[in-house]
Each structure stands twice: as C-alpha cells, then as structure tokens.
Amino acid sequence: QKEVEQNSGPLSVPEGAIASLNCTYSDRGSQSFFWYRQYSGKSPELIMSIYSNGDKEDGRFTAQLNKASQYVSLLIRDSQPSDSATYLCAVNAGGFKTIFGAGTRLFVKA
Amino acid sequence: GAVVSQHPSRVICKSGTSVKIECRSLDFQATTMFWYRQFPKKSLMLMATSNEGSKATYEQGVEKDKFLINHASLTLSTLTVTSAHPEDSSFYICSATVAGASPDTQYFGPGTRLTVL
C-alpha cells in the first residue's frame, strides 16, 4: 500500500514567519511530487511541483525534495493570514494515479 | 488556462434518488479525468479514473454500479450517484490532466457538495 504521510497539525505561525510543512512517502520509485493548497470548502489548488532532488523556489514558496530519505517539504516565507489553509502533499504513484496525504492545517496569526 | 468546472456546486437530494455531477474542462482537452471524494477533514480519496470513450477504472472498494462514470468527450465527464443514501454525502471533486502536457499534473474542479437527506 503506497502511502503519503503528513502531520495533521494545526501548525500555527505568526504573520511574517516561515512555515515549514513536511511530508514522507512510502514508494521509493515515485518521481513526481506536488503541493496543493486547499481552503475550507474549496477544491485543491496546485502550488508547486518538484521532480528532482534539491530545492525549487517560486515566489514565497520553496519545495524541497530528498528522494533518499523519501521526504518532501514546503517552506512558506513571510507567511500571511491568507496562507491559512490545509496543505496537501501528493505523490505520483505511477501512470496518472496520484496519492494524497491527509493534509496539514496551517494557521497564520495576524 | 487549465480551468475545470463542475456543476452543480451544491446539491441536496432525498435518499433513493440519483444525482448527476458534470465535470468540464473549459479551455483544454482533458486526456484523463479523475473523480475524488473527500470527507470532512480527510484527504482526497480517488474513486475512479476515466478516459474519453472508454470505461472508467474504479479504485478498490468503489462500487461501479453505484457511481456511474461517463466520459463522453475530451471536455466532459459525468459522475452519477445512483440510489443515493446519507452515507454518500460528501464533497466530490473532479480533476483533469492536460493533453500534451505533463501527465501527472492535475487541475481540479471547484467540487460538488452532495447532501443526501
């Protein structure tokens, strides 16, 4: 059974701080990794995709991938209250199938 | 680009009735569409994968006779919940991959909240 694990949170950070979200996955053969943001009552929105070991930056977001440790993270710099949401880690499980983690709830306090 | 719509956004129905949910890719042709179900504070659970013109592939434990999927064109897939019961109440979300683009990047519709009384 391929799994994606996340700490459910909530993770609470003050406005302007760095929020660090972590995810581990079980399938060592996975090649594609994604972070989605989901606001309450809404569908997921793709934030980042990462395919290679190392860091990938996009604005205030940085995704980090370590395939040897089967670990992927998302850093949010200068966190804003509007970043408060649930962040879903997703891993491609082969073909078109994607496995989602249960999500980490993030609260950014003004 | 890559906009996916769903209709209706919210539906309330009586137990025993059937409900159809539409998923459309508005500005692209969707190679593959996916149907997910999400319970409160839980992650997305893949129900089935559908490709245009072929039968959907259902995940283990998902009743194909209860959740009918029709993928009539490259821009439209429908999910019909037949003989709905209160336990079918959930948030149903479709997604699509873009033909010719990365096959594992999914674009999600806004979701349909189904409440069965």
Side-chain angles (χ1 to χ4, degrees):
Chain A
Q1 181 80 4
K2 298 176 182 178
E3 296 181 343
V4 177
E5 299 287 343
Q6 293 181 256
N7 187 321
S8 63
L11 173 66
S12 184
V13 301
E15 184 175 0
I18 296 175
S20 178
L21 306 165
N22 304 313
C23 171
T24 60
Y25 59 95
S26 63
D27 183 7
R28 188 170 287 278
S30 297
Q31 299 294 321
S32 306
F33 308 86
F34 308 89
W35 283 99
Y36 288 86
R37 177 175 62 197
Q38 185 174 26
Y39 292 111
S40 180
K42 304 294 184 183
S43 65
E45 170 191 10
L46 180 66
I47 298 176
M48 295 276 289
S49 58
I50 186 167
Y51 304 92
S52 304
N53 279 329
D55 295 359
K56 179 181 178 182
E57 187 174 319
D58 184 0
R60 295 187 295 112
F61 300 97
T62 299
Q64 299 174 317
L65 175 62
N66 184 324
K67 291 184 180 180
S69 300
Q70 296 175 240
Y71 175 92
V72 59
S73 66
L74 179 70
L75 300 178
I76 306 174
R77 289 181 299 281
D78 189 23
S79 296
Q80 302 297 309
S82 58
D83 294 327
S84 298
T86 296
Y87 289 81
L88 304 175
C89 173
V91 177
N92 181 261
F96 295 109
K97 187 170 180 177
T98 300
I99 306 295
F100 287 83
T104 298
R105 286 180 294 148
L106 172 66
F107 289 111
V108 180
K109 298 175 292 185
Chain B
V3 177
V4 177
S5 71
Q6 274 184 249
H7 178 79
S9 59
R10 188 179 295 268
V11 57
I12 300 173
C13 69
K14 293 182 179 180
S15 185
T17 60
S18 294
V19 175
K20 179 185 284 188
I21 302 170
E22 291 187 348
C23 176
R24 294 182 184 271
S25 56
L26 298 184
D27 52 358
F28 66 98
Q29 291 186 328
T31 309
T32 304
M33 288 185 169
F34 305 86
W35 287 96
Y36 293 86
R37 180 165 58 179
Q38 187 177 35
F39 292 107
K41 297 186 178 180
K42 300 294 184 183
S43 189
L44 281 72
M45 185 188 78
L46 180 65
M47 299 175 67
T49 303
S50 73
N51 291 287
E52 182 262 341
S54 61
K55 290 183 178 180
T57 301
Y58 290 82
E59 293 300 300
Q60 191 173 8
V62 178
E63 300 174 58
K64 62 181 181 181
D65 294 331
K66 179 169 184 61
F67 299 100
L68 302 178
I69 292 172
N70 183 278
H71 196 152
S73 73
L74 283 172
T75 59
L76 174 64
S77 177
T78 61
L79 168 68
T80 301
V81 183
T82 62
S83 187
H85 290 284
E87 58 264 30
D88 298 324
S89 298
S90 187
F91 192 44
Y92 291 86
I93 309 172
C94 72
S95 71
T97 55
V98 180
S102 172
D104 53 9
T105 299
Q106 298 182 36
Y107 296 92
F108 286 86
T112 296
R113 186 159 303 282
L114 171 64
T115 302
V116 184
L117 302 177

